[in-house]
Amino acid sequence: MMSLTIAGTAVLNSLVADLSPELAAMLLASVIGGYTLIGGLGATFYVSYFNTALIFVLILMLVVEVFYNPFNNPENPFGSSESVFEFIACWKAPEEPMGNKGGSYLTFFSSGGLVFGIVNIVGNFGTVFCDQAYWQSSVAAKPLQGVWGFISGGLVWFAIPFTLATTMGLAYIGLSSAQG
C-alpha cells in the first residue's frame, strides 16, 4: 500500500508544477480517505470499478490505434500488424545482454523474459495471498458474485497484461524504427 501512495505522489508531482511531495501525499490520502469515510467499503469498490473500466478503455484505444489506425492518423506509421512487423523485423536486438534468440525482438525465447515471468508470477502470488485488499474484497462480496469475479479475473490475468505489454513494446520499437 505504501508503494502505491508513493507512486501516486510521484504522479501528482509530475502533473502539477511546484507541488511539494508532502502536500501531494496529504491530498492523495485525504481524497481516498474522504470517499472511503463517506461511502464505506462500497465506495472503494465503485472507484475500483471505475478505474478498471477507464484503464480497459485506454488499453483498447491503444491496441486499436496501433493495429488498425481507424482515424487515419498521419502521425501513426502503423495501421496493421503487417506494418508493425515490417518496422520491427529490420531491427536487431542486443543479443548478448538480453538473451533473445536470433537477436530478434520478435521471439518468445528470451532468457530475460523468462526471468521476468518467473519473478512476476512469484510476486503476484505473494501480492494476492498477503495483500489485505484482496481478502477484504473477497470477504465483502456476495458468494455468487465473488465466484464469478474470481473466475473472470483468473481468465484475464494473462490476456490483458500480455496484450498491453506486447502492444506497447512493439509500438515503441516500431516507432523508434520509423523515426530512424
Side-chain angles (χ1 to χ4, degrees):
M1 190 65 179
M2 192 64 187
S3 65
L4 294 175
T5 305
I6 293 171
T9 301
V11 168
L12 284 176
N13 279 332
S14 68
L15 293 176
V16 180
D18 300 327
L19 179 67
S20 70
E22 294 83 10
L23 181 60
M26 290 303 296
L27 283 172
L28 192 65
S30 299
V31 168
I32 294 170
Y35 72 70
T36 304
L37 184 66
I38 293 169
L41 188 59
T44 61
F45 289 138
Y46 289 126
V47 170
S48 293
Y49 294 149
F50 173 75
N51 290 340
T52 303
L54 180 66
I55 290 169
F56 285 163
V57 166
L58 292 174
I59 288 172
L60 288 175
M61 287 172 56
L62 173 75
V63 170
V64 167
E65 185 67 28
V66 168
F67 290 114
Y68 300 109
N69 196 8
F71 303 111
N72 294 323
N73 183 357
E75 295 182 10
N76 183 358
F78 308 130
S80 68
S81 57
E82 290 85 15
S83 62
V84 174
F85 176 79
E86 288 172 9
F87 279 109
I88 296 172
C90 62
W91 277 61
K92 295 288 281 180
E95 201 166 327
E96 190 59 38
M98 293 178 64
N100 289 355
K101 184 176 182 181
S104 173
Y105 283 114
L106 300 171
T107 181
F108 282 102
F109 298 105
S110 169
S111 59
L114 178 66
V115 170
F116 174 75
I118 292 170
V119 168
N120 196 11
I121 287 172
V122 171
N124 287 341
F125 272 116
T127 301
V128 169
F129 291 121
C130 297
D131 188 2
Q132 191 62 31
Y134 287 98
W135 292 102
Q136 287 174 347
S137 298
S138 63
V139 168
K142 295 177 183 171
L144 184 61
Q145 293 170 338
V147 167
W148 285 111
F150 283 113
I151 288 174
S152 62
L155 290 174
V156 300
W157 183 81
F158 177 76
I160 291 173
F162 180 75
T163 302
L164 178 63
T166 302
T167 302
M168 290 181 72
L170 293 178
Y172 173 77
I173 294 170
L175 285 174
S176 298
S177 173
Q179 293 175 355

